[in-house]
Amino acid sequence: MKMTRRLALAAMLAAPLAAAPAMAQTQITVQHALPANSHTGVGASTFAEAFQRLTNGRYRVVAQRNDNEREMIESVQIGTIDCTFTSTGPVGNFVPEVRVFDVPFLFRDAAHARGVLDSEIGQQVLSRFQARGLVGVIWIENGFRNLTNSRREVNTPADVRGLKIRTMENQVHMRAFTQLGALPTPMAFSELVPALQQGTVDGQENPISVIVANNLNQVQRFMTLTRHVYSPQVMICNPQTVGRLNAADRALFQQAAVEAQRANRARVTADDEAGVAELRRRGMTVVTEVDTAAFQAALAPAFAEWERTLDAATLRRIREWR
Ligand code: PAF
């Protein structure tokens, strides 16, 4: 009797599967850092919804969270996941040409950054991914990064001296913080909150959208709107995943990526507008008046070095872009 009931239950559970329509559906897995309700989550879910809709459900896109961006890029490269939405943080270790976009104070504002990335300059850098076994699909973004810490208010470059700052695994950012006299400590975002809680690092730097979405106010008291560097994100896919799409589906894939870009940028703009008030409401001390020229002057030797070690012609084109 017991066995019969178990068999009946098993038959009931199996029934919906057996009755499902036999539609060939290809699954695409997209990983992104941060919660679903964040600018990256919204980008990934918009892409998923758009590509499924545009292909009438022939594709199913599964969006997953992973706060280790280097790991996601490696997984795309070896093909264990299809695509990732990642900041450029660790990307320069795979595609060095991307590093020009990581230079501090390069972009004047969001319009400048978005314009450059969508122009031939950004497209040229995307085309470099192929040689590294990756496909650069489209630029999205994190926004401008700001400094937070648990020790003191940062008003001048001198206040940064001696602070242990978690940075992304990014040579350009680490060089900048060394120049300011901080102790840059690179680590994946997944390790950040425990490192702040245990005092392994005093601070970190991220855009308002990230600070709000991850409640970093719970582990950081001070924020300064340094806007010291624009933080692009990029959608990267495995070449075989993209290669399997026929020409028509490939165009729909790109169309879905453009919808994701729009949703992601709109969310970053909204988060930037509301974020300072929200973080103050949550108890953070926020310094909004920043002497940007003083920070730029303090970075002068690093700027001179990047002129030599990065693509100086592209840096000039970006600065002159109108
Ligand atoms: O700080 C980082 O590692 C990145 O900005 C994050 C939060 C993973 C978003 O791309």
Side-chain angles (χ1 to χ4, degrees), residues 76 126 129-130 133-138 234-240 242-243 250:
V76 170
L126 282 185
F129 283 65
Q130 196 79 42
L134 296 164
V135 177
V137 178
I138 200 164
V234 58
M235 179 178 180
I236 307 174
C237 294
N238 177 275
Q240 273 146 19
V242 179
R250 186 130 189 216

Short mmCIF file of all heavy atoms in Angstrom, two decimals, residues 76 126 129-130 133-138 234-240 242-243 250:
data_model
loop_
_atom_site.label_atom_id
_atom_site.label_comp_id
_atom_site.label_asym_id
_atom_site.label_seq_id
_atom_site.Cartn_x
_atom_site.Cartn_y
_atom_site.Cartn_z
N VAL A 76 33.24 31.95 -18.82
CA VAL A 76 32.81 32.25 -20.19
C VAL A 76 33.87 31.75 -21.17
O VAL A 76 33.56 31.12 -22.19
CB VAL A 76 32.55 33.76 -20.38
CG1 VAL A 76 32.35 34.09 -21.86
CG2 VAL A 76 31.34 34.20 -19.58
N LEU A 126 35.96 46.52 -28.19
CA LEU A 126 35.15 45.29 -28.14
C LEU A 126 35.68 44.25 -29.15
O LEU A 126 35.67 43.05 -28.87
CB LEU A 126 33.68 45.58 -28.47
CG LEU A 126 32.79 46.20 -27.39
CD1 LEU A 126 31.35 46.29 -27.89
CD2 LEU A 126 32.84 45.41 -26.08
N PHE A 129 38.32 41.52 -28.09
CA PHE A 129 38.02 40.38 -27.22
C PHE A 129 38.20 39.05 -27.96
O PHE A 129 38.57 38.04 -27.37
CB PHE A 129 36.59 40.48 -26.68
CG PHE A 129 36.43 41.47 -25.55
CD1 PHE A 129 36.63 42.82 -25.75
CD2 PHE A 129 36.07 41.04 -24.27
CE1 PHE A 129 36.48 43.74 -24.71
CE2 PHE A 129 35.92 41.94 -23.22
CZ PHE A 129 36.13 43.29 -23.45
N GLN A 130 37.91 39.07 -29.26
CA GLN A 130 37.93 37.84 -30.07
C GLN A 130 39.28 37.12 -29.96
O GLN A 130 39.33 35.89 -29.79
CB GLN A 130 37.64 38.22 -31.53
CG GLN A 130 37.24 37.05 -32.42
CD GLN A 130 35.77 36.64 -32.22
OE1 GLN A 130 34.91 37.50 -32.11
NE2 GLN A 130 35.49 35.34 -32.16
N GLY A 133 39.68 34.77 -27.04
CA GLY A 133 38.70 33.69 -26.86
C GLY A 133 37.41 34.16 -26.20
O GLY A 133 36.75 33.40 -25.48
N LEU A 134 37.05 35.40 -26.46
CA LEU A 134 35.83 35.98 -25.87
C LEU A 134 35.13 36.84 -26.92
O LEU A 134 35.77 37.32 -27.86
CB LEU A 134 36.19 36.87 -24.67
CG LEU A 134 36.85 36.18 -23.47
CD1 LEU A 134 37.51 37.23 -22.55
CD2 LEU A 134 35.83 35.37 -22.67
N VAL A 135 33.83 37.05 -26.74
CA VAL A 135 33.13 38.01 -27.61
C VAL A 135 32.65 39.18 -26.76
O VAL A 135 31.91 38.98 -25.79
CB VAL A 135 31.91 37.35 -28.31
CG1 VAL A 135 31.16 38.39 -29.16
CG2 VAL A 135 32.35 36.19 -29.18
N GLY A 136 33.10 40.38 -27.09
CA GLY A 136 32.62 41.59 -26.41
C GLY A 136 31.35 42.03 -27.11
O GLY A 136 31.39 42.41 -28.28
N VAL A 137 30.21 41.97 -26.41
CA VAL A 137 28.92 42.21 -27.09
C VAL A 137 28.51 43.68 -27.01
O VAL A 137 28.19 44.30 -28.03
CB VAL A 137 27.81 41.32 -26.47
CG1 VAL A 137 26.46 41.60 -27.12
CG2 VAL A 137 28.17 39.85 -26.59
N ILE A 138 28.52 44.24 -25.81
CA ILE A 138 28.04 45.63 -25.66
C ILE A 138 28.55 46.21 -24.34
O ILE A 138 28.81 45.46 -23.39
CB ILE A 138 26.48 45.66 -25.71
CG1 ILE A 138 25.97 47.06 -26.05
CG2 ILE A 138 25.85 45.15 -24.41
CD1 ILE A 138 24.51 47.08 -26.50
N VAL A 234 30.73 45.37 -19.19
CA VAL A 234 30.69 44.87 -20.56
C VAL A 234 30.01 43.50 -20.55
O VAL A 234 30.18 42.73 -19.61
CB VAL A 234 32.13 44.83 -21.15
CG1 VAL A 234 33.08 43.99 -20.34
CG2 VAL A 234 32.13 44.38 -22.60
N MET A 235 29.19 43.27 -21.57
CA MET A 235 28.59 41.94 -21.73
C MET A 235 29.56 41.13 -22.58
O MET A 235 29.88 41.51 -23.71
CB MET A 235 27.23 42.04 -22.41
CG MET A 235 26.58 40.69 -22.61
SD MET A 235 24.95 40.87 -23.39
CE MET A 235 24.45 39.14 -23.49
N ILE A 236 30.04 40.03 -22.00
CA ILE A 236 31.01 39.18 -22.70
C ILE A 236 30.40 37.79 -22.88
O ILE A 236 29.81 37.25 -21.94
CB ILE A 236 32.31 39.02 -21.86
CG1 ILE A 236 32.87 40.38 -21.46
CG2 ILE A 236 33.35 38.22 -22.61
CD1 ILE A 236 34.07 40.26 -20.50
N CYS A 237 30.56 37.21 -24.05
CA CYS A 237 30.01 35.87 -24.28
C CYS A 237 31.07 34.92 -24.82
O CYS A 237 32.12 35.34 -25.33
CB CYS A 237 28.84 35.92 -25.26
SG CYS A 237 27.44 36.83 -24.58
N ASN A 238 30.73 33.64 -24.72
CA ASN A 238 31.59 32.59 -25.25
C ASN A 238 31.43 32.58 -26.79
O ASN A 238 30.31 32.61 -27.28
CB ASN A 238 31.15 31.26 -24.63
CG ASN A 238 31.94 30.10 -25.19
OD1 ASN A 238 31.59 29.57 -26.24
ND2 ASN A 238 32.98 29.72 -24.50
N PRO A 239 32.55 32.51 -27.53
CA PRO A 239 32.46 32.56 -29.00
C PRO A 239 31.59 31.45 -29.58
O PRO A 239 30.91 31.67 -30.58
CB PRO A 239 33.91 32.40 -29.44
CG PRO A 239 34.73 32.74 -28.27
CD PRO A 239 33.93 32.47 -27.05
N GLN A 240 31.62 30.25 -28.96
CA GLN A 240 30.80 29.17 -29.52
C GLN A 240 29.31 29.42 -29.33
O GLN A 240 28.50 29.12 -30.19
CB GLN A 240 31.19 27.83 -28.91
CG GLN A 240 32.35 27.21 -29.69
CD GLN A 240 33.29 26.44 -28.81
OE1 GLN A 240 32.92 26.07 -27.69
NE2 GLN A 240 34.50 26.23 -29.27
N VAL A 242 27.85 32.34 -29.31
CA VAL A 242 27.45 33.32 -30.32
C VAL A 242 27.51 32.69 -31.72
O VAL A 242 26.62 32.90 -32.55
CB VAL A 242 28.34 34.58 -30.23
CG1 VAL A 242 27.95 35.60 -31.29
CG2 VAL A 242 28.22 35.21 -28.84
N GLY A 243 28.53 31.86 -31.93
CA GLY A 243 28.70 31.22 -33.24
C GLY A 243 27.55 30.28 -33.61
O GLY A 243 27.28 30.07 -34.78
N ARG A 250 21.25 36.22 -34.31
CA ARG A 250 22.37 37.04 -33.83
C ARG A 250 21.95 38.51 -33.79
O ARG A 250 22.28 39.24 -32.85
CB ARG A 250 23.56 36.84 -34.78
CG ARG A 250 24.77 37.52 -34.30
CD ARG A 250 25.96 36.64 -34.31
NE ARG A 250 27.03 37.36 -33.61
CZ ARG A 250 28.28 37.31 -33.94
NH1 ARG A 250 28.66 36.52 -34.89
NH2 ARG A 250 29.16 38.00 -33.27
#
